[in-house]
Amino acid sequence: MIVLGIESSCDETAAALLCDGRQILSNKVASQIPIHARYGGVVPELASRNHIVEVLPVVRSCLEEAGLGLPDIDGIAVAAGPGLVGSLLVGVEVAKALAYCVDRPLVGVNHIEAHLTAPLIDYEGPQGLSGTPNFPYLGLVVSGGHTHLYEVEAVGSYKLIGATRDDAAGEAFDKVAKMLGLPYPGGVQIDRAARRGDASAIRFPRALPRKDSFDFSFSGVKTAVLTYLSGLDTLPEESSEAFADICASFQEAVVDVLVNKTFRAARKHGFKDVVVSGGVSANSRLRARALEVANSNGIKVHIPPIRLCTDNAAMIAGLGHHYLVGKKGAGFGQSGLNASSRLPMGAH
Ligand code: KG4
Ligand code: ZN
């Protein structure tokens, strides 16, 4: 079964074609970073307008790369939420129009659920991090809007056991990057600068270390960086050792909490497989620490390659496949599908 996936929940317009929910035939992303960078963050109105410009060329280039035409696809999956409603609407309406044109079933899926199940796709992963997870697994989704820990029984069966009480981890990365004068999006810039720094140079706080809670909090560490910076006479030069030390120390505080809580939960609930996904799982220190702690606990950790960690449509097609298989009846291919900024998980 060949599924076309479409993703437009934030600032990436993406399309992908997947065979049987696992094999990537093509996977394309048109990034809007240069458009939003001058404003220091995503401007929702500009994002939706640009999705309109990009969405059909991205779908077309996916089909071309796979050597397929629209009639060759068996179903369409689209991210219907959560995200920016104006942006989501572009993908949802295009998906509905395409499904109508070729008379194929359509399913709206949840973007976070797609991150959580992304490692079910076949990929050539980095050493130690690849391989399909076995159910049940523990999944940490760390993105710009979410830091959520789920027990995953099967596709469609999830139990939330922890979440951030304030900022998402990615939001903290982006806000601290802004304080440091780094361009948007800041997470990857901090990651880069941190490689030159000493992670033990400054001891930033690790919030909610209580053993019985799997909730997270990142506003404290963000404020601690702000307080630290306001105590300095001037902001260190980006190329300086002091600047790299701040980045490395902040990153270490965030990664410490993410890794410690996730693997404590895995041990407590006896999980042998752990998934880490979402944009922040592109972070090199998080990937290295997760692998290290997993190995020392006899746990297998699955973190996809970066193109499947950050926003993409392969994960949308992969998840959509599970819902489309064998369910072509009522409720699928519907014209009533709508975008929602607070979409529940499951098929829509
Ligand atoms: O999943 P994603 O692409 O979009 C959302 O669903 O939010 O995640 C975006 C987030 C941003 O906050 C971005 O700064 C962060 O992921 N991010 C990183 C890295 N690459 C992306 N954070 C830390 N280190 C990175 N290498
Ligand atoms: Zn995302």
Side-chain angles (χ1 to χ4, degrees), residues 2-51:
I2 294 174
V3 174
L4 168 68
I6 298 178
E7 154 66 40
S8 66
S9 62
C10 191
D11 59 344
E12 324 271 13
T13 321
L17 286 160
L18 246 71
C19 183
D20 295 335
R22 298 185 60 91
Q23 187 197 349
I24 297 177
L25 304 178
S26 56
N27 183 24
K28 302 271 179 191
V29 180
S31 173
Q32 300 182 8
I33 287 174
I35 293 167
H36 301 285
R38 55 199 285 219
Y39 303 101
V42 178
V43 182
E45 186 60 28
L46 290 181
S48 19
R49 277 193 227 169
N50 214 62
H51 284 307

Side-chain angles (χ1 to χ4, degrees), residues 111-112 115 143 278-279 309-311 315:
H111 177 93
I112 301 306
H115 275 306
S143 68
C309 286
T310 50
D311 286 351
M315 66 180 190

Side-chain angles (χ1 to χ4, degrees), residues 250-261:
F250 159 74
Q251 177 176 273
E252 196 67 12
V254 174
V255 168
D256 241 8
V257 174
L258 291 173
V259 170
N260 289 343
K261 282 201 183 260

